[in-house]
Amino acid sequence: MFSIAAGVMLIAGVLLAVDPAGVWRALQKVPPGHVLAAFALVQLQVVLSALRWRFTAQRLGHSIPVWLAIREYYLGTVLNQTLPGGIIGDAARVYRVQQEEAGGWKRAATAVALERLSGQLAFFLLTCCGLVAWVTLLPEQLPLAAAELFWTVATLVGALAVGLALFAKPLWRRFGRFAPDLAAVFWERGAAVIQLGLSSLVVGTYVLTFVIASDAIGAPLPPIAAVTIIPLCLLTMLIPIGIGGWGTREAAAAALWPLFGFTGAEGLAASLLYGLLSLVGAALPGVVVLVLSIVRGAGRTS
């Protein structure tokens, strides 16, 4: 309940801080074509993510049929976006797949964790590329001075390196047993190419959906925004406030859209529309997939 209240209060606060009437006007003029395009991207996003999960599980010796992977990923996506924590859908995937397929819950849990890690690594790579592009191409539009940003990032990287050096042995003793799984999933037999390709495509669907949402409310972003402000907005969804990134994402969009000449109200409207398109785009097909699976199950038992 606290997460729900925090997310609602944050959105309400941002709405009052900008122009509520402007947000409503922006949302009223969304073209149907943009909605259909975003819905199509969400389907591609879920299917590609399900294939990435299936590939990861296969490399761990856990076979998941394509239909089952897609069905469970739809349901997991909806749960992650509507329930606190953002991982309940992942836990449900572990439970439901290990119930239906051989391999046990440990194999299923490892596959889900490493599949999510693959996506986070691709997103981290995009964010780093965006920071480089921002510093080199648009230094005057940085929310921080270029030098300040450089030293902030350098300090964080240095602290991370020192931490890893100090705790390398304890970490290896604790997590070294996962080295064979990591190698199988991310390196051996061309796994790196497949993981990078699938995860890059998935991240691309997230970013492009946001671009479409912003264009739909009348704030067409330049191409450079796809690797600068949009990844930063999506990155705030990892902050454990609200549900499914609602609230933190809107606050970031309201603050960042003015860097490209738009209003905070337009940034808020774009983020709200992105959230709605992502949720409904996954929920409606998820219901259809669930009904079809029930009908298929009933057909087998009759």
Side-chain angles (χ1 to χ4, degrees), residues 83-163:
L83 295 176
I87 61 171
I88 294 178
D90 298 327
R93 279 195 284 147
V94 172
Y95 175 77
R96 289 168 61 85
V97 169
Q98 65 91 18
Q99 290 290 95
E100 299 190 31
E101 295 293 320
W105 72 268
K106 289 185 178 180
R107 291 286 88 184
T110 303
V112 169
L114 293 184
E115 179 266 327
R116 288 295 297 269
L117 177 62
S118 177
Q120 296 301 329
L121 290 174
F123 187 78
F124 176 74
L125 179 61
L126 175 65
T127 304
C128 290
C129 292
L131 289 175
V132 173
W134 214 336
V135 171
T136 56
L137 300 178
L138 301 170
E140 71 282 355
Q141 292 181 336
L142 278 169
L144 298 174
E148 182 181 352
L149 180 64
F150 172 80
W151 286 113
T152 300
V153 173
T155 301
L156 291 174
V157 172
L160 180 60
V162 172

Side-chain angles (χ1 to χ4, degrees), residues 47-61:
V47 171
L48 288 172
S49 298
L51 294 178
R52 181 180 64 192
W53 175 36
R54 181 173 182 266
F55 171 79
T56 302
Q58 282 181 327
R59 285 302 179 93
L60 297 174

Side-chain angles (χ1 to χ4, degrees), residues 29-55:
K29 58 184 180 183
V30 175
H34 286 63
V35 174
L36 293 176
F39 273 18
L41 276 173
V42 173
Q43 311 322 306
L44 182 61
Q45 177 188 119
V46 174
V47 171
L48 288 172
S49 298
L51 294 178
R52 181 180 64 192
W53 175 36
R54 181 173 182 266
F55 171 79

